[in-house]
Amino acid sequence: MIKNRSVKILFICLIICYKINTQNSLQIGDKIPDIELGRIINYSKVKTKISDFNVKPLILYFWAPWCSPCIAGMPKLDSLQKKFSNTVNILLITKDSKEFAIRTLQTLQVIKK
């Protein structure tokens, strides 16, 4: 009896946690929240907001230095940015420190030293 009740309570908690987590997540077609972006490199400002890019479509490219597919895609992104610079913005986003990101991008020759 106690085991069955514990399973029911656990199941109800899982359902509540699932509903809480999915209520705040973005779905396809949702507008992205106007969050502030900091530690920006190769841009005219040090900080900006997503809404500053409303003029053109914005591609957010999440990457990490240890992610070889992320790194492999950067030359193509660079080509796309050069080809479509008047019609699209591409932002590379990482959780790493600004210094480490700059060093990595310079080593990969994505940005100039």
Side-chain angles (χ1 to χ4, degrees):
M1 179 81 167
I2 294 175
K3 186 177 180 182
N4 193 18
R5 183 174 176 206
S6 297
V7 171
K8 285 181 183 179
I9 291 172
L10 178 62
F11 184 70
I12 290 170
C13 288
L14 288 172
I15 290 173
I16 291 170
C17 289
Y18 174 78
K19 288 194 180 259
I20 289 170
N21 286 333
T22 57
Q23 284 177 344
N24 296 329
S25 62
L26 292 174
Q27 302 298 318
I28 294 174
D30 288 350
K31 189 172 182 176
I32 190 169
D34 192 22
I35 57 175
E36 185 176 277
L37 304 169
R39 301 184 322 202
I40 298 176
I41 54 174
N42 277 6
Y43 189 65
S44 59
K45 300 177 187 176
V46 177
K47 289 185 179 181
T48 190
K49 288 186 168 193
I50 293 288
S51 60
D52 293 340
F53 297 96
N54 278 346
V55 178
K56 303 182 230 177
L58 177 63
I59 297 172
L60 301 176
Y61 190 77
F62 295 88
W63 70 283
W66 48 264
C67 175
S68 39
C70 302
I71 303 301
M74 285 185 181
K76 183 65 174 175
L77 283 175
D78 186 51
S79 298
L80 289 171
Q81 181 65 62
K82 287 176 182 170
K83 185 174 181 178
F84 299 106
S85 62
N86 294 328
T87 56
V88 71
N89 285 310
I90 300 173
L91 288 179
L92 304 178
I93 298 176
T94 184
K95 70 177 186 99
D96 295 302
S97 72
K98 181 177 180 177
E99 295 76 21
F100 187 68
I102 290 172
R103 221 174 26 253
T104 302
L105 294 172
Q106 286 174 337
T107 302
L108 299 169
Q109 298 179 348
V110 174
I111 60 173
K112 294 179 182 170
K113 292 184 180 184

